Amino acid sequence: MALSRKNFIKTSGLGVLALGTASFKSGQPKNTDTTYNNHKLNIGLASFTLRKYSLDELIEITARLNIKDVAFKSVHLPYDADKSKLSYIHEKVKARGLNLYGGGVIYMKSPEDVETYFNYAENAGLPMIIGAPEHHLLPLVEEKIKKTNIRLAIHNHGPEDKIFPSPKSVYDKIKDLDDRIGLCIDVGHTFRLGLDPAEELIKYKNKLFDVHIKDIDAPVAEGNKTVLGHGKINIPSILTALREIKYTGIVAIEYEKDADHAIYGLSESIGYIRGILKTT
């Protein structure tokens, strides 16, 4: 598999595909409001997308796709690595032009987890944790944030999640906490709740730190993940909403289907998004 991946990366012309040549859903109104239409969005990657790929493969793929901003899952930034190893990984990706802007999703179920994962983030030089702490841990998390200045973007996980299913469930718990605690809105899990992701992004814009973007084939709990543009989520409306609120964080693609061959769906998804941004 490694050899075929290597050959594919070298010969497939991914860079051309990701420039925006992919087609996208017709019938979307073209926005002409120049007050936000030209706002630049930073398209990045949640490395969970490439969880079956090595760190070196990830670096090569992101270079080919011209992605600069990445949040690492533990498969690429191991929780059990010592400080020197974590620093080495961070410097390695930085040297290749990548901005390691965060890590996660990280789950915290005990005070020991809070201590462990904030130490991990400090040692890895992460400015932000994308996480999901248990409700009772939020006061301790807030203390750690005040000490470390590491931000926390709490990720919603949809109808199966008993802790933070929706953006509102996050906001209600953090609205009076430190300003460095905010939301990572996952548009796919939000859509599976029957909510309009664009409306949720606008509603919680003041606490919006991160966005995970994906596509789902139906607005139901059992909705299946698919390539962006192949599902039912109105991706153009999401990008328009983010421009409208002048969102300055990362729009991280999290393509979760077909993990063993994710490079194909990822490259098509990036082409789809860049096509929309170029033509609206």
Side-chain angles (χ1 to χ4, degrees):
M1 184 181 293
L3 180 60
S4 63
R5 283 176 178 169
K6 184 176 180 181
N7 289 339
F8 177 74
I9 293 168
K10 285 183 175 180
T11 64
S12 65
L14 283 176
V16 174
L17 176 59
L19 284 176
T21 57
S23 63
F24 55 91
K25 296 170 186 169
S26 62
Q28 300 297 340
K30 187 168 182 178
N31 193 322
T32 57
D33 186 345
T34 58
T35 62
Y36 61 81
N37 193 54
N38 293 324
H39 177 72
K40 179 176 171 20
L41 294 177
N42 297 315
I43 306 302
L45 178 71
S47 88
F48 184 70
T49 300
L50 298 175
R51 57 197 177 278
K52 295 297 185 71
Y53 292 71
S54 70
L55 176 63
D56 287 338
E57 287 174 322
L58 180 149
I59 291 172
E60 185 66 21
I61 290 166
T62 53
R64 289 276 176 168
L65 293 175
N66 194 29
I67 294 173
K68 304 298 182 185
D69 300 292
V70 180
F72 271 5
K73 190 67 176 173
S74 56
V75 65
H76 299 118
L77 193 69
Y79 293 144
D80 59 358
D82 61 23
K83 183 175 181 178
S84 61
K85 178 66 172 178
L86 293 172
S87 296
Y88 168 78
I89 293 172
H90 195 150
E91 290 305 313
K92 179 176 183 175
V93 300
K94 183 178 178 181
R96 291 295 301 271
L98 286 176
N99 168 38
L100 184 53
Y101 78 89
V105 175
I106 296 175
Y107 301 92
M108 302 178 200
K109 299 183 178 182
S110 68
E112 292 75 20
D113 284 347
V114 175
E115 185 70 24
T116 295
Y117 293 125
F118 272 88
N119 287 342
Y120 162 81
E122 278 195 296
N123 290 337
L126 299 178
M128 183 169 70
I129 292 172
I130 301 153
E134 298 273 350
H135 294 167
H136 71 278
L137 295 172
L138 286 172
L140 178 58
V141 166
E142 186 175 34
E143 288 179 19
K144 293 296 292 185
I145 287 169
K146 289 177 179 178
K147 289 179 181 178
T148 63
N149 199 34
I150 295 171
R151 298 201 302 165
L152 172 67
I154 298 181
H155 184 288
N156 69 292
H157 265 105
E160 304 86 1
D161 186 0
K162 304 305 181 186
I163 304 171
F164 293 116
S166 66
K168 183 180 187 302
S169 69
V170 179
Y171 183 79
D172 286 349
K173 290 292 183 181
I174 70 169
K175 59 185 177 182
D176 297 321
L177 298 182
D178 191 279
D179 287 343
R180 288 163 288 191
I181 303 175
L183 287 82
C184 170
I185 292 184
D186 185 301
V187 305
H189 294 313
T190 300
F191 185 70
R192 291 194 305 114
L193 287 164
L195 300 171
D196 182 338
E199 290 181 2
E200 297 296 294
L201 292 166
I202 293 171
K203 193 181 300 182
Y204 302 109
K205 63 183 180 180
N206 292 335
K207 279 281 195 177
L208 185 62
F209 290 178
D210 195 29
V211 174
H212 283 182
I213 193 165
K214 61 187 64 164
D215 209 347
I216 305 291
D217 66 359
V220 295
E222 299 78 16
N224 297 307
K225 301 150 188 171
T226 186
V227 176
L228 269 76
H230 289 209
K232 299 298 185 182
I233 297 181
N234 189 337
I235 303 297
S237 75
I238 288 171
L239 299 177
T240 296
L242 290 170
R243 281 170 157 171
E244 181 178 351
I245 65 176
K246 293 183 167 47
Y247 173 68
T248 59
I250 308 303
V251 183
I253 293 176
E254 190 175 35
Y255 173 68
E256 297 176 309
K257 184 182 177 183
D258 194 18
D260 288 326
H261 307 287
I263 189 171
Y264 300 96
L266 171 61
S267 58
E268 185 176 348
S269 295
I270 292 174
Y272 174 72
I273 285 183
R274 288 179 177 163
I276 293 169
L277 293 176
K278 275 190 165 188
T279 57
T280 58

